[in-house]
Amino acid sequence: MQINISGHHVEVTEAMQAHVEDKMAKLTRHSDSITTGQVTLTVVKDRQTAEATIHITGHDLHAKAENEDMYTAIDQMVDKLDRQVLKHKEKLVARQHGQG
């Protein structure tokens, strides 16, 4: 999976980039069909926001999380994406078996 990481009002450090890449790599456990991902890290006053959009065969999945800590926001965002990938996979399996 190719991941593009950008920052808005924040400089993306090597540590942040490594953290995002490690966490996003966990999404490939559930689906090999994830091709690209766009992650945007934003800071506005005390709000740290992490947003991501991933392209999975035929669909785009989006998640956003806010927290006081950027690393926690990244973790929450990846957890949301993980649930969406699992749900997408379940729908595909159900369709293949004629249940949906």
Side-chain angles (χ1 to χ4, degrees), residues 1-3 21-37 54-56 78 81-82 85-86 89:
M1 165 176 32
Q2 179 185 357
I3 303 171
E21 289 172 356
D22 289 344
K23 293 295 180 173
M24 294 289 281
K26 121 179 179 179
L27 298 176
T28 59
R29 290 186 310 189
H30 302 296
S31 179
D32 295 331
S33 59
I34 300 172
T35 55
T36 60
I54 59 172
H55 182 73
I56 188 167
V78 171
L81 278 175
D82 196 38
V85 169
L86 283 174
K89 185 178 178 182

Side-chain angles (χ1 to χ4, degrees), residues 6-7 21 29 35 38 43-44 49-51 55 61-62 64-66 69 72 76 80 85 87 90 97 99:
S6 61
E21 289 172 356
R29 290 186 310 189
T35 55
Q38 172 63 41
V43 176
V44 178
T49 305
E51 286 185 75
H55 182 73
L61 303 178
H62 180 80
K64 179 179 180 178
E66 288 185 11
D69 179 46
T72 306
Q76 291 172 347
K80 289 178 182 182
V85 169
K87 187 173 180 179
E90 289 172 4
H97 293 289
Q99 299 171 355

Side-chain angles (χ1 to χ4, degrees), residues 11-27:
E11 183 177 334
V12 180
T13 63
E14 295 280 331
M16 282 183 190
Q17 188 168 357
H19 188 73
V20 169
E21 289 172 356
D22 289 344
K23 293 295 180 173
M24 294 289 281
K26 121 179 179 179
L27 298 176

